[in-house]
Amino acid sequence: MDLAFNKNEDFNKQSVYELKTRLKKIYAGGGEKSAARQKERGKMLARERIAYLIDKDSDFLEVGAFAADGMYAEHGGCPSAGVVCGIGYVSGRQCMIVANDATVKAGAWFPMTAKKNLRAQEIALENRLPVIYLVDSAGVYLPLQDEIFPDKEHFGRIFRNNAVMSSEGIVQIAAIMGSCVAGGAYLPIMSDEAMIVDGTGSVFLAGSYLVKSAIGEDVDNETLGGATTHCEISGVTDYKHASDQDCLDSIRNIMSKLGAPEQAGFDRIKAVLPRLEQEEIYGILPDSREKPFDTMDIILRLLDGSDFEEYKQGYGQSLICGLGRVDGWAVGIVANQRKVVRSKKGEMQFGGVIYSDSADKAARFIMNCNQKKIPLVFLQDVTGFMVGSRSEQGGIIKDGAKMVNAVANSVVPKFTIVIGNSYGAGNYAMCGKAYDPRLIYAWPSAKIAVMGGAQAAKVLLQIQQASVKSSGAAPAPDQEAALLKEITESYDHQTTPYYAASRLWVDGIIDPLETRKVISMGIQAANQSPVKKPFNVGVIQT
């Protein structure tokens, strides 16, 4: 191993350590005092409920762990957006689990809480996954009600999705394990089955204080909407349980009796580990996003047996396309090549840039994978499309549009891993969030923005300089340097994977060694949703 490898390895392992440290803090939710209050009431914490519910020694793929990270500071913060979501296995069946974290503002719904719930439902809808809701929420966080209540992608969309999923035969089971108030009361009752924990669970449109204020009636919350009321009088809930554990056992029992899902028929054989050592990824991935490297060295450490069938190897070399397997599943790989290569015409092509021939190759490969019913995996490390007179005259816009068209209209499931840069239109062409990847995760090394920080800072500085000069003044060199530093630091903060994950531009940040698990669980989920729409790219410029 050379010095550069060791330096990269130290840097990337430190980045993973930082990731795990930040996750540990997020997993603490609202803190020890809030957790203690839950325990005093005989309630399990949200993550404890999930750990108890899922099959022993099975994987849980969390979605949106960093949602709302660093946001809502003026409201005391909202770790993980106050809700834990993810794909897990219950009685052998893969499903989406959504659990309110009552240690965070009593499980109240912030704007990002709604966005995260909608993302969880979107994943369930796309993959026809059963959904288990573990409800424990005080309802909408009123100081921010204008950002969560009335719009299309706000709170009400969740109940609309409940109805749509039910109509499509997607099973939804809700457990009322704490408060369930006002509009939030519709979620469990619009599920296929609803159960409630006696003594701690309650569900009503208006609590006792509001009832007193609205109609003058004196009534306690238990009489108003407790387990006895809804299981023996109103008939709103279907099962009453003595404890959280009993309730979760009941869900496992119900899940064990579900009929088998249809299969999409994606090819899978017995899995084997990569022949090349996966941990070497830490040493291969540079400690700077500006440094080139051979992306093939990463690909071979992600695929079963390190076996890769490359497509059009000598053509369009700034993109690598080809077939392989991940945990036994057949996949088509589309990856940005980060090393400098020389085209057949003798032209140098910079790493991470998409050229016309590369876009043309990728579009054709994506069409082939749709024809063969092979899921697609995009490995993003892209700085954008090539610019300049030669590229424009060569039709870069036309070829780029061809690739974007193929990605947009692809009907096989797509999975995106942002391993490095994700800039500009390159983000779109490589199946960014706007292009409906079934899952999109980032490595700690990811950077997501319109352009790189240094480049953007210089553009913004030029704009500010022009504004100053138009007023007749001229900034001093030291002022320009200070302004450039300020702009660069601000922009760099916004390009981090943590900034992206907090806003759910990606589903999460993972250790590179978790990449195979993410892809495998994603394809297994997608395999429960047969592809019924024919592949058609519409009109393409040729």
Side-chain angles (χ1 to χ4, degrees):
M1 299 299 176
D2 60 17
L3 186 60
F5 184 98
N6 292 334
K7 186 179 177 182
N8 293 339
E9 185 176 45
D10 289 344
F11 179 84
N12 288 309
K13 284 187 175 181
Q14 180 60 37
S15 296
V16 170
Y17 176 80
E18 180 191 355
L19 166 65
K20 292 178 179 178
T21 301
R22 294 178 73 150
L23 281 172
K24 188 176 180 180
K25 184 179 179 181
I26 283 171
Y27 293 163
E32 292 182 5
K33 289 184 179 179
S34 294
R37 285 195 293 271
Q38 286 271 98
K39 297 284 190 177
E40 287 168 7
R41 297 189 62 198
K43 297 166 68 175
M44 301 171 75
L45 305 180
R47 292 182 183 279
E48 290 176 342
R49 288 167 175 166
I50 292 174
Y52 185 92
L53 177 65
I54 62 175
D55 298 344
K56 187 177 180 182
D57 298 326
S58 67
D59 287 320
F60 178 70
L61 179 57
E62 186 160 356
V63 173
F66 282 101
D69 183 45
M71 300 171 69
Y72 310 121
E74 67 276 25
H75 299 278
C78 187
S80 214
V83 62
V84 184
C85 304
I87 299 172
Y89 298 86
V90 179
S91 298
R93 183 68 175 265
Q94 203 177 40
C95 57
M96 173 61 70
I97 303 170
V98 179
N100 297 115
D101 185 351
T103 70
V104 179
K105 293 288 192 295
W109 289 65
F110 282 66
M112 285 303 300
T113 315
K115 186 173 183 178
K116 184 171 174 178
N117 274 263
L118 289 171
R119 175 58 179 153
Q121 288 184 322
E122 179 184 37
I123 292 170
L125 268 164
E126 287 179 327
N127 299 292
R128 299 189 61 80
L129 294 178
V131 187
I132 298 170
Y133 303 102
L134 306 181
V135 185
D136 195 345
S137 172
V140 167
Y141 184 65
L142 292 177
L144 296 174
Q145 64 84 27
D146 63 317
E147 298 179 38
I148 188 175
F149 172 63
D151 211 347
K152 180 179 178 181
E153 299 301 328
H154 283 177
F155 194 48
R157 187 78 172 182
I158 293 164
F159 316 131
R160 175 263 186 195
N161 288 348
N162 288 142
V164 169
M165 284 192 281
S166 184
S167 74
E168 294 190 8
I170 297 171
V171 172
Q172 299 171 86
I173 301 171
I176 301 164
M177 310 181 83
S179 297
C180 187
V181 185
Y186 286 106
L187 185 146
I189 310 311
M190 292 189 73
S191 298
D192 301 324
E193 291 182 286
M195 52 191 67
I196 188 167
V197 178
D198 194 15
T200 54
S202 60
V203 54
F204 35 66
L205 293 180
S208 56
Y209 293 124
L210 184 53
V211 169
K212 174 67 173 176
S213 173
I215 65 173
E217 180 185 0
D218 281 310
V219 61
D220 63 87
N221 284 339
E222 185 63 28
T223 302
L224 196 61
T228 299
T229 294
H230 287 311
C231 284
E232 300 177 20
I233 301 173
S234 73
V236 166
T237 51
D238 305 310
Y239 306 92
K240 179 167 73 171
H241 296 293
S243 67
D244 282 9
Q245 289 86 347
D246 288 344
C247 185
L248 297 169
D249 286 339
S250 178
I251 294 172
R252 290 183 55 80
N253 185 42
I254 292 169
M255 288 293 295
S256 72
K257 295 172 174 59
L258 262 59
E262 288 187 67
Q263 298 288 301
F266 302 125
D267 185 67
R268 191 182 197 184
I269 63 174
K270 185 178 179 181
V272 296
L273 291 173
R275 177 175 48 81
L276 300 175
E277 181 57 52
Q278 292 181 72
E279 284 212 6
E280 290 178 355
I281 289 173
Y282 295 138
I284 294 165
L285 190 69
D287 59 358
S288 167
R289 300 285 58 78
E290 282 69 50
K291 294 180 180 178
F293 66 99
D294 190 345
T295 306
M296 187 66 76
D297 290 335
I298 300 288
I299 293 171
L300 295 178
R301 285 162 176 80
L302 296 176
L303 296 179
D304 289 16
S306 301
D307 190 13
F308 185 59
E309 184 75 27
E310 189 169 358
Y311 177 77
K312 291 185 182 288
Q313 183 178 6
Y315 176 72
Q317 294 179 73
S318 72
L319 277 174
I320 299 173
C321 301
L323 302 175
R325 290 187 182 275
V326 174
D327 198 32
W329 294 104
V331 295
I333 300 287
V334 181
N336 302 105
Q337 174 57 283
R338 281 303 315 276
K339 72 176 182 179
V340 177
V341 296
R342 189 179 293 278
S343 72
K344 257 189 171 181
K345 297 176 183 178
E347 299 167 343
M348 298 303 293
Q349 295 191 347
F350 299 101
V353 179
I354 300 176
Y355 291 78
S356 283
D357 54 357
S358 303
D360 176 67
K361 175 174 83 171
R364 176 77 182 205
F365 178 72
I366 290 165
M367 292 182 210
N368 280 343
C369 286
N370 276 271
Q371 181 84 341
K372 298 181 178 76
K373 206 161 73 171
I374 299 173
L376 287 159
V377 175
F378 293 83
L379 301 178
Q380 282 196 13
D381 195 345
V382 57
T383 53
F385 284 88
M386 190 59 188
V387 297
S389 60
R390 178 178 290 183
S391 292
E392 298 294 356
Q393 291 166 14
I396 185 66
I397 296 176
K398 175 186 67 178
D399 291 319
K402 189 188 303 182
M403 180 179 175
V404 169
N405 195 316
V407 173
N409 285 296
S410 181
V411 295
V412 295
K414 299 167 291 192
F415 303 91
T416 301
I417 308 294
V418 186
I419 69 174
N421 299 319
S422 180
Y423 294 154
N427 170 282
Y428 303 155
M430 291 296 292
C431 198
K433 185 71 178 290
Y435 287 78
D436 298 323
R438 296 292 179 98
L439 296 171
I440 176 169
Y441 281 81
W443 288 1
S445 48
K447 287 187 176 295
I448 303 170
V450 171
M451 61 182 74
Q455 185 181 4
K458 289 175 183 176
V459 172
L460 292 169
L461 179 63
Q462 288 172 9
I463 293 170
Q464 292 200 23
Q465 286 173 331
S467 177
V468 170
K469 288 176 181 176
S470 68
S471 65
D478 60 333
Q479 290 177 317
E480 289 188 359
L483 188 57
L484 181 62
K485 183 174 182 290
E486 180 185 341
I487 294 171
T488 303
E489 288 176 352
S490 173
Y491 200 91
D492 284 345
H493 167 68
Q494 294 177 12
T495 66
T496 69
Y498 296 100
Y499 191 90
S502 70
R503 287 151 181 80
L504 286 176
W505 300 345
V506 295
D507 292 319
I509 306 169
I510 57 169
D511 181 337
L513 301 187
E514 294 179 290
T515 304
R516 282 170 53 84
K517 181 188 86 171
V518 169
I519 296 169
S520 178
M521 287 185 69
I523 299 176
Q524 185 179 359
N527 200 42
Q528 299 180 52
S529 181
V531 177
K532 295 179 179 178
K533 180 183 174 183
F535 178 62
N536 187 340
V537 294
V539 177
I540 289 184
Q541 292 271 7
T542 57

